[in-house]
Amino acid sequence: MPIETLNPDVWKLVGHLDGTWTGNGGENYGWGSVPTKNQTLTAAAILGVYKLQQGDQSQLKDYYLVVGDTYHGIQGSPANPSANWVSVGFYANYMNLELRCTTPDARVLTFGPNSTVEQATISFSVGGELSGEGGSEGGKGGGSLSASVGVSFTASEVSFAARPATRSISWNTSLPGVGWISSAIPPNPAKPSYAGYLWNPAVIFELPQGKIPALEGTFIVDFEYNWTRGIRKRWFDTPIALRYQPEEPAIATKAKLPTILERLTELGATPGTQGRSDTFLAALRNSGAIKGFDDSTVKLLVIAPTNQAIEGYFTTNPEVAAAAVSPTNARWLEDFLGERIKPLGGDTLSPDTLARLQKATKSQGEWFECADGTLHLTDEYEVDANLLSAADEVLHSSK
């Protein structure tokens, strides 16, 4: 069995293409016929899917091997079917296996068995032109190993017709069913047809590196009950669907971050909530500074005091409140916002940079990472000088 001898450092099992069908021969047919009621018919394909382990990831291709057992069996057949001239019970005429890879740009690299005439034994190998990486750490720590897979099985009275295509391969296995020269001559069927037969297919598909093979297949065994060695009275040829189609690996995508303005809006008042950022947002709108946020390619640090912090400071400092609400407050707004909106440079802010800014201030509040910078919503009105100094250092280091 080739599956038992595969080196797991070279060929790693990644899945299966399995399918089985069983049936009963049905009610007995009548006079002079072999009873079918006690006959059980089985057809199965048990195939493994293996990936070639390659340590050198500069390779442009990946290789997948499909190899295993296909067989049929008939229980309840007569010990000597040739002695029954009216019927011989159920037997199998042929076994047909087709394997397909529907992944774009896949192709059949090599396969076996090839088309054969009747012979006692069939031997072949696939993968001899490939090599894998062997070693003690899952096939990635050692030298190159042969990926050759040898297969051998008996084939007396059996012949194969292989039909390869670009992305598929099919085999038709002809079994020695019932013929007719004269009554019970030739003395058939032979055991591969009336008892059972097992053979081993193998195919290697070549795929672009990183692609996942979508493998499909169909396995059919044509079971027939024959009357007077020439009339097909009852038969089963149910297709067995084979499938291996794992999902593509999920690509981890980072959730899209909101912009600073979007975050400030989220933190604003909504029905049933007080909101925390409305006063600062109003200052941005009244000054016109809000228009420059979406167009900026520079990452920003925005230090936004909460509604409560601004209200508390204005209550304690009424002269500041008067300047803020004055019709001629443009200069006050400019100074207020200029102190709280700081450029950090054009590159993406690293976690280390954000941690550096957060560590620089002791002001109470929350930090929010945003698509266009970072927002510090603080419960204190005054801006921490250490935070402003850290922002200047980040800007200078980015230049």
Side-chain angles (χ1 to χ4, degrees):
M1 293 283 292
I3 296 177
E4 295 178 349
T5 59
L6 286 177
N7 186 338
D9 282 347
V10 180
W11 291 106
K12 178 183 178 181
L13 180 65
V14 295
H16 293 88
L17 275 171
D18 295 346
T20 302
W21 175 88
T22 59
N24 180 266
E27 294 297 324
N28 296 335
Y29 190 74
W31 172 83
S33 65
V34 171
T36 54
K37 192 172 184 178
N38 64 339
Q39 289 197 298
T40 301
L41 319 176
T42 301
I46 311 297
L47 307 173
V49 181
Y50 301 82
K51 182 181 181 183
L52 179 65
Q53 301 302 290
Q54 298 184 93
D56 181 6
Q57 291 304 302
S58 66
Q59 300 282 346
L60 299 177
K61 304 293 184 181
D62 283 335
Y63 299 92
Y64 287 84
L65 165 71
V66 180
V67 64
D69 299 334
T70 54
Y71 65 89
H72 86 85
I74 303 175
Q75 294 182 314
S77 295
N80 182 17
S82 63
N84 299 274
W85 68 269
V86 175
S87 74
V88 295
F90 270 97
Y91 56 92
N93 286 310
Y94 64 83
M95 306 162 71
N96 185 275
L97 173 67
E98 180 180 1
L99 299 176
R100 305 174 294 276
C101 184
T102 61
T103 304
D105 300 320
R107 75 180 183 100
V108 172
L109 181 71
T110 185
F111 63 90
N114 210 323
S115 299
T116 68
V117 294
E118 293 181 4
Q119 56 193 69
T121 304
I122 290 178
S123 298
F124 64 90
S125 65
V126 295
E129 66 274 45
L130 303 175
S131 63
E133 297 296 320
S136 59
E137 298 181 3
K140 296 184 178 179
S144 177
L145 297 176
S146 172
S148 179
V149 178
V151 180
S152 179
F153 55 87
T154 60
S156 179
E157 301 180 279
V158 175
S159 63
F160 292 85
R163 300 181 178 92
T166 303
R167 290 192 292 173
S168 67
I169 175 72
S170 66
W171 293 272
N172 190 82
T173 310
S174 296
L175 304 175
V178 167
W180 175 262
I181 295 177
S182 62
S183 178
I185 298 175
N188 50 48
K191 284 186 177 180
S193 189
Y194 83 86
Y197 184 64
L198 181 148
W199 64 281
N200 303 118
V203 57
I204 295 176
F205 292 101
E206 178 186 86
L207 282 78
Q209 189 178 63
K211 291 291 185 180
I212 302 298
L215 300 174
E216 300 174 353
T218 306
F219 182 53
I220 298 175
V221 177
D222 183 67
F223 294 104
E224 176 177 290
Y225 177 79
N226 186 277
W227 180 257
T228 67
R229 299 177 180 265
I231 302 174
R232 186 175 170 96
K233 283 294 184 181
R234 194 180 296 165
W235 65 91
F236 299 97
D237 55 1
T238 305
I240 301 170
L242 310 173
R243 183 179 177 85
Y244 171 78
Q245 197 161 6
E247 294 182 0
E248 293 277 356
I251 300 175
T253 56
K254 190 174 182 179
K256 184 180 179 181
L257 293 172
T259 65
I260 293 172
L261 289 180
E262 288 171 340
R263 182 63 79 181
L264 286 169
T265 302
E266 290 175 4
L267 296 167
T270 57
T273 66
Q274 279 189 315
R276 302 170 63 195
S277 60
D278 306 272
T279 305
F280 189 82
L281 262 175
L284 288 175
R285 292 191 183 99
N286 292 339
S287 69
I290 198 169
K291 297 177 182 178
F293 273 73
D294 291 337
D295 295 334
S296 177
T297 58
V298 177
K299 301 300 180 183
L300 299 174
L301 164 64
V302 173
I303 307 165
T306 62
N307 298 344
Q308 186 175 3
I310 294 174
E311 182 181 356
Y313 188 83
F314 282 2
T315 300
T316 306
N317 301 274
E319 72 283 0
V320 177
V325 298
S326 170
T328 58
N329 69 347
R331 180 57 186 271
W332 183 90
L333 276 176
E334 183 178 327
D335 293 341
F336 174 80
L337 295 174
E339 193 177 23
R340 291 167 173 79
I341 302 174
K342 296 296 180 182
L344 297 174
D347 296 331
T348 301
L349 298 181
S350 68
D352 290 342
T353 299
L354 295 176
R356 179 179 170 186
L357 292 172
Q358 294 173 20
K359 189 176 180 181
T361 182
K362 296 182 179 179
S363 65
Q364 300 297 314
E366 295 179 72
W367 289 86
F368 300 92
E369 184 181 359
C370 301
D372 51 351
T374 185
L375 168 67
H376 180 42
L377 186 70
T378 174
D379 294 325
E380 299 180 16
Y381 179 87
E382 298 288 357
V383 180
D384 190 323
N386 291 331
L387 178 55
L388 296 178
S389 176
D392 288 339
E393 292 176 4
V394 170
L395 177 62
H396 292 148
S397 64
S398 68
K399 292 182 178 178

